[in-house]
Amino acid sequence: MKAFINEALARNEAVFAWVHEMAQLCRPDSVHWCDGSEEEKELLIRQCLATGELEELNQAEWPGCHYSRSDVNDVARTEQLTFICSRDKNDAGVTNNWMDPQEAYRKLGEIFRNSMRGRTMYVIPFMMGPPGSPLRKIGIQLTDSRYVVLNMRIMTRAGRIALDDLGASGDFTRCLHGMADLNPERRFICHFPEDNTIWSVGSAYGGNALLGKKCLALRIGSYLGRTQGWMAEHMLLMGIENPQGRVRYVTAAFPSQCGKTNLSMLVPPKSLPGYRVWTLGDDIAWMYIGPDGRLYALNPETGFFGVAPGTNYKTNPNAMETIRRNTIFTNVLKTDDGGVWWEEMGPPPPHGIDWAGKDWTPESNRPGAHPNSRFTSPLVQCPSVSPEWDNPQGVPISAILFGARRATVAPLICESRNWQHGVYLGATMASETTAAAVGQTGVIRRDPMAMLPFIGYNVGDYFRHWLDMGRRLRGKAPKIFHVNWFRRDRKTNKFLWPGYGENLRAILWALERCEGRSKAMDSPMGFLPTMDALNLSGLDMPPETLKAILEVNPDDWDEDLKDQRELFDRIGDRLPGELRQEQDDFARRLR
Ligand code: SAT
Ligand code: MN
């Protein structure tokens, strides 16, 4: 390892100088440069087991798997403690918390100062995106958490590969992370887009601490994407192969915990023989315009940081197979025989230790796994992994889906009239909140493009960038759809649509529409499948139910339109006029 480090540092003064400066601030006892090797992983795991940072699972049942319990105050992203620190407050926009960069460096600097005394500072060079890709980005994360190192090794291309790729360049994202005392009062996740820098302190939880993910790949990524002419989006990426063997690719944006992982690993129902789904990513897509003028997408990550509760052999068999090996489980329930369990995984064990470290039995009357408990697993272990998953060019996109979790209002699927109208549908998305972020769950919040907590700059400029991309794609833009698997019956409050594998039926209609086939009917919101256009073979669905799922009822929309207008008013003068126009047109069509 030493030789590789010396070699790399001889080449790259910028990295060396920055790491030195940060070490002067945090004062770790030692600095460990991560090379990404297997020996390094084994060493880290051994140390984690010795300190209790990880617990070993039954290695016969769960080979290479480990268990982690995070601090009970540190189990989800903390959006209220997340800041965009642009020089001009207006550049952060109304969807972000803003802090003056000087103040942020000072404030967080005080918390970081000497915070790594008695600990090791790990230097993790990492690459987002496949080697050789025009979109790949290098980051270097400093952290005093071994858990973070082990997760970053699964979620990114970490170690020597990234430093070698960087060469002598100073063009890398400077990611400083420290646990400090894990005190929510002294927890800040700050992004400095103009400095290509991220400082995160006081949390060791996924989205707060694995800085390649939401912080780099989405917040800094979206900022870089706008300046460089590409897009960083909160989207899964999947291929759909038809019975003739042709594969078409789709990206889909849903808020956290709305089933992106399940959809990306979908298993087609038996009644749709010959179809196959290929998984490329479950959370983030980077998209750019390829040499042929089409939109291409790739997944910058190499792993899944998926929600455990609700995952089982019925809802997501591919995820269940993926997580059997080399997986880190965080905040699930640990069973007495060294296995894991979570709500809806299967029959509960008679006894276990819950996510908070307490004794648990099925009679305990509280969840054994935290609702936001997670698995971290390598993407290549997924049985449905696409052979194109690490194609440096990415894959061409046929359709973009914007999905929300809505009990009412939004139909199963709706096709936008054109790109601009599709951007409007994405911009006005709203969804019920989930446990992925700290706060109340189940309340409706507007979540433009499912990017509300992840847009790294002014949301008005972000919408403008979407419109510009459409213009640059000329006639070759993918079609945009709005989907909602979560509509409920007005009387019984039960879900109307079976979801999971059956969601493929709606996507197949979308793909047919992309080829100018299949039937649609006009509605105020956009084009809906006609009653006979969805392939429902083998699905026992009464026509009344289908009608209810596809309904766009003008009376339902009053409140929603009001709420949309509020968002647009708040965005103010950076809101593109085209979106106001789309909104007025929608209101007119509803009347
Ligand atoms: O933010 S995390 O990456 O921890 C999970 C999510 O919200 O998608
Ligand atoms: Mn996510």
Side-chain angles (χ1 to χ4, degrees), residues 77 213-214 218 234-235 254-257 260 282-284 301 305 374 436 450 454:
R77 275 185 293 107
K213 196 174 184 50
K214 307 296 187 184
L218 287 179
H234 193 205
M235 291 174 167
F254 293 81
S256 302
Q257 284 208 345
K260 282 201 300 298
D282 77 329
D283 197 37
I284 297 172
E301 301 188 288
F305 185 64
R374 300 270 170 168
F454 307 124

Side-chain angles (χ1 to χ4, degrees), residues 442-464:
V443 297
I444 296 283
R445 76 166 180 183
R446 301 234 81 83
D447 191 350
M449 281 81 170
M451 282 285 281
L452 179 75
F454 307 124
I455 302 167
Y457 58 102
N458 186 297
V459 58
D461 297 342
Y462 170 78
F463 293 158
R464 166 62 59 209

Side-chain angles (χ1 to χ4, degrees), residues 62 257-266 282 304-324 327 329 332 340-347 369-377 382-383 405 500:
W62 299 93
Q257 284 208 345
C258 290
K260 282 201 300 298
T261 306
N262 290 349
L263 186 58
S264 74
M265 299 180 190
L266 179 150
D282 77 329
F304 305 110
F305 185 64
V307 184
T311 307
N312 59 50
Y313 271 98
K314 222 177 114 213
T315 60
N316 193 340
N318 282 324
M320 294 303 286
E321 286 300 316
T322 307
I323 63 180
R324 289 171 66 144
T327 295
F329 294 97
V332 301
V340 289
W341 184 84
W342 46 78
E343 276 60 32
E344 292 173 61
M345 183 198 199
H370 187 274
N372 193 39
S373 53
R374 300 270 170 168
F375 51 79
T376 321
S377 264
C382 181
R405 177 187 281 274
Y500 302 107

Side-chain angles (χ1 to χ4, degrees), residues 104-125:
Y105 283 129
R106 191 191 49 74
K107 197 166 176 169
L108 275 67
E110 283 314 308
I111 305 173
F112 273 118
R113 190 174 310 287
N114 302 328
S115 68
M116 296 188 187
R117 282 231 163 100
R119 298 182 191 165
T120 299
M121 182 170 90
Y122 296 89
V123 183
I124 319 166

Side-chain angles (χ1 to χ4, degrees), residues 53-277:
E53 289 161 275
L54 286 181
E55 295 173 26
E56 191 154 70
L57 292 172
N58 179 337
Q59 293 297 300
E61 290 287 324
W62 299 93
C65 294
H66 294 89
Y67 180 87
S68 158
R69 208 173 268 123
S70 66
D71 195 280
V72 290
N73 292 316
D74 191 26
V75 292
R77 275 185 293 107
T78 41
E79 293 174 6
Q80 72 283 12
L81 305 175
T82 302
F83 294 82
I84 299 297
C85 307
S86 46
R87 279 191 285 275
D88 180 346
K89 183 173 183 196
N90 282 326
D91 289 337
V94 295
T95 55
N96 284 307
N97 302 311
W98 176 80
M99 209 189 291
D100 174 76
Q102 292 312 318
E103 188 199 338
Y105 283 129
R106 191 191 49 74
K107 197 166 176 169
L108 275 67
E110 283 314 308
I111 305 173
F112 273 118
R113 190 174 310 287
N114 302 328
S115 68
M116 296 188 187
R117 282 231 163 100
R119 298 182 191 165
T120 299
M121 182 170 90
Y122 296 89
V123 183
I124 319 166
F126 63 97
M127 187 189 305
M128 303 306 291
S133 170
L135 285 194
R136 77 193 187 283
K137 298 279 175 241
I138 302 295
I140 298 188
Q141 175 161 352
L142 311 180
T143 182
D144 55 358
S145 161
R146 280 184 279 257
Y147 169 83
V148 165
V149 181
L150 288 167
N151 275 270
M152 285 292 284
R153 286 174 54 107
I154 298 175
M155 299 305 295
T156 74
R157 296 161 172 92
R160 175 171 194 147
I161 180 176
L163 265 195
D164 283 348
D165 193 81
L166 186 64
S169 166
D171 184 14
F172 62 95
T173 307
R174 289 150 173 78
C175 307
L176 174 62
H177 169 253
M179 297 187 284
D181 51 7
L182 294 179
N183 180 350
E185 305 283 309
R186 286 148 48 85
R187 177 175 301 161
F188 295 97
I189 297 96
C190 287
H191 306 71
F192 306 85
E194 289 136 355
D195 302 342
N196 201 0
T197 293
I198 302 158
W199 280 19
S200 165
V201 69
S203 168
Y205 170 75
N208 289 339
L210 311 178
L211 300 188
K213 196 174 184 50
K214 307 296 187 184
C215 299
L216 195 166
L218 287 179
R219 297 196 190 96
I220 296 290
S222 62
Y223 171 87
L224 293 175
R226 175 169 176 249
T227 41
Q228 300 168 356
W230 54 279
M231 310 167 94
E233 297 296 330
H234 193 205
M235 291 174 167
L236 67 86
L237 175 55
M238 69 200 282
I240 292 136
E241 182 174 336
N242 69 11
Q244 289 73 46
R246 172 147 179 246
V247 184
R248 282 161 303 171
Y249 297 93
V250 170
T251 59
F254 293 81
S256 302
Q257 284 208 345
C258 290
K260 282 201 300 298
T261 306
N262 290 349
L263 186 58
S264 74
M265 299 180 190
L266 179 150
V267 176
K270 291 227 168 29
S271 47
L272 292 177
Y275 287 97
R276 194 164 176 177
V277 164

